[in-house]
Amino acid sequence: MATSTALPELRALLAGGAQLVEVLPEREYVEAHLPGAINIPLKQLTAQTAGALDRARAVVVYCWDSL
Amino acid sequence: MSPRAACRLETLDFTEVYDYVPGKADWLAHNLPVEGEHAGALTAGGVARDDVATCRPDDRIGDLSDRIERSPYGFALVTTPGGVVLGRLRRSALLNGDPAAHAEDVMEPGPSTVRPDAPPQELAQRLAKRALNTAIVTTPEGRLLGVARRQDLESASTQDGL
C-alpha cells in the first residue's frame, strides 16, 4: 500500500529526486500544478501512460485534497 | 482520487509510491509557488506584508508599547517561537492594562485568519462587509505569513481585471 505523505516529507522526497504526478483532469493541471509535476489523469492512468515514469525512482501522486 | 492512482501504480509494479494526501489545496495554502496559467495570479499571500509587530505570550505589555506604536496596524500578534498565531494585542489593551501583565493575559485569543491562496477580491469583500481593514494570513497550521490590507486586496483585484 502506498505511503501517505505530508508537506515536510514531500519536500524531502522531491529533494531526493522523486517524480511528482498530478492525477487531476488536464484542465486543472493546466491552470496550476506543483512545480515539476507531470499530468496523468486518473482516468488515463494505464501501463502505457505510466511508461512516462521511471520505475527506479520514487513516485508521488496528488490530487486536490483528501476529500 | 490520489489513493486510487497510487494503488494503480503499485499494480503496475511501481515499488516506491507515495500519496501526498493533502494535495494541491495544501500546497497553495502554504503559499508555495505553482506552475501553469494561474502561476502569476495575485492572492492574499501575494499581497500580505510582513511588517506586523509580534510578541511572545510572556512578554510584558509595558515593554510592547513602542513596538505597537510603530506598527501600522494598531495591534501586535502574539505568536509562539515557531510563529503560530495565538492572539492579537490591540493598542487599547496596552493603554488600559497593567504594564506588568503578560501579553497572553490581555490578548484576544484565536483571531480569525485566512489562507494565502484566498482570492483578493473575495477577501476584500468579506473584510468590507465586516468593516475590517486587515486580514491575518497564516498557513493551515497557523504559522504567520503576514497581514493583508483591504486596500492592497482591492488594488490586486483591479490589477487582475476582476
Side-chain angles (χ1 to χ4, degrees), chain B residues 92-106:
Chain B
S92 56
L94 298 186
L95 294 175
N96 304 321
D98 175 3
H102 293 131
E104 63 186 343
D105 298 327
V106 293

Side-chain angles (χ1 to χ4, degrees), chain A residues 1-5 7 10 22-23 27-28 30-36 50 55 58-61 63-66, chain B residues 1-2 4-6 9-10 12 14 16-25 27-28 30 32-38:
Chain A
M1 188 172 176
T3 304
S4 297
T5 188
L7 185 57
L10 173 65
E22 178 167 319
V23 298
R27 183 65 241 163
E28 294 180 52
V30 168
E31 287 178 353
H33 54 267
L34 277 57
R55 279 184 168 73
V59 180
V60 184
V61 295
C63 56
W64 176 248
D65 59 22
S66 57
Chain B
M1 185 179 284
S2 60
R4 286 184 288 156
L9 285 172
E10 287 179 327
L12 293 170
F14 284 83
E16 196 180 355
V17 181
Y18 298 86
D19 182 3
Y20 176 34
V21 176
K24 189 155 57 176
W27 184 269
L28 293 169
H30 283 87
L32 294 169
V34 293
E35 296 175 344
E37 291 176 351
H38 292 181

Side-chain angles (χ1 to χ4, degrees), chain A residues 5-66:
Chain A
T5 188
L7 185 57
E9 294 78 32
L10 173 65
R11 289 178 190 271
L13 285 164
L14 295 176
Q19 305 161 95
L20 197 51
V21 182
E22 178 167 319
V23 298
L24 290 164
E26 182 183 6
R27 183 65 241 163
E28 294 180 52
Y29 172 84
V30 168
E31 287 178 353
H33 54 267
L34 277 57
I38 67 165
N39 183 215
I40 307 178
L42 177 61
K43 289 180 183 297
Q44 297 166 26
L45 182 52
T46 64
Q48 186 179 0
T49 56
L53 299 168
D54 179 357
R55 279 184 168 73
R57 291 160 55 205
V59 180
V60 184
V61 295
Y62 72 91
C63 56
W64 176 248
D65 59 22
S66 57

Side-chain angles (χ1 to χ4, degrees), chain B residues 52-55 57 61 64 68 71 73-79 84-94 102-113 127 130 132-137 147-148:
Chain B
V52 65
T54 61
C55 63
I61 63 172
L64 300 173
I68 294 185
S71 165
Y73 306 105
F75 61 81
L77 294 174
V78 184
T79 67
V84 174
V85 175
L86 299 175
R88 175 171 41 208
L89 194 58
R90 293 189 188 274
R91 184 179 284 137
S92 56
L94 298 186
H102 293 131
E104 63 186 343
D105 298 327
V106 293
M107 71 180 185
E108 300 168 22
S112 297
T113 61
L127 291 175
R130 298 171 59 192
L132 298 172
N133 292 316
T134 57
I136 303 166
V137 185
V147 170

